[in-house]
Amino acid sequence: MAGPMYENALKLAERHLAINENNAQTLALMAHYHAALGNAPLAHTFIERAQAIAPNDVYVKYSTATALSSLGEFDIVMQSLASALDDRYPMNLALADANLTGLKELPRFGALMAQGE
């Protein structure tokens, strides 16, 4: 069921990029969508593009974390998530995010959340 929603989201994001091909937040969301669909190479391509344009953008960092979490790349996720939280991404949103479900079972995730309390 989620597949068609992500495919539709990709189409909408592509329209947005047609207007501004350098919108880092849209590129990062596209990375998340591709990762959720299991397309790791494209997800990484969009992560790289987004980070090249806006390496300090909190939403780029967070979408990178959700994309990498979908791909099971948990070591890198922790770095990106920690950086987003350091930049004041709301912890309560991260805790509630189903995209981070696999990550929530790792001791490092609990330690990161405890550190921010």
Side-chain angles (χ1 to χ4, degrees), residues 9-15 17 24-36 42-43 46-47 49 63 67:
L10 276 171
K11 289 177 187 174
L12 294 171
E14 287 167 356
R15 287 187 204 161
L17 286 182
Q25 291 178 7
T26 299
L27 291 166
L29 284 172
M30 289 182 75
H32 169 76
Y33 303 148
H34 280 292
L42 270 176
F46 282 102
I47 287 169
R49 286 181 60 192
S63 291

Side-chain angles (χ1 to χ4, degrees), residues 12-23:
L12 294 171
E14 287 167 356
R15 287 187 204 161
H16 194 259
L17 286 182
I19 297 167
N20 178 4
E21 67 184 29
N22 292 317
N23 186 302

Side-chain angles (χ1 to χ4, degrees), residues 50-114:
Q51 289 178 341
I53 294 166
N56 296 317
D57 185 292
V58 66
Y59 298 105
V60 168
K61 292 176 183 182
Y62 190 78
S63 291
T64 295
T66 62
L68 295 172
S69 182
S70 292
L71 297 173
E73 298 178 21
F74 296 130
D75 286 336
I76 303 169
V77 172
M78 293 304 296
Q79 295 169 6
S80 189
L81 181 59
S83 184
L85 293 172
D86 285 346
D87 288 347
R88 302 196 186 274
Y89 188 86
M91 185 180 302
N92 62 322
L93 295 180
L95 285 168
D97 193 337
N99 294 303
L100 300 176
T101 299
L103 190 64
K104 292 175 184 175
E105 298 173 15
L106 299 176
R108 288 176 59 198
F109 182 85
L112 178 64
M113 293 300 123

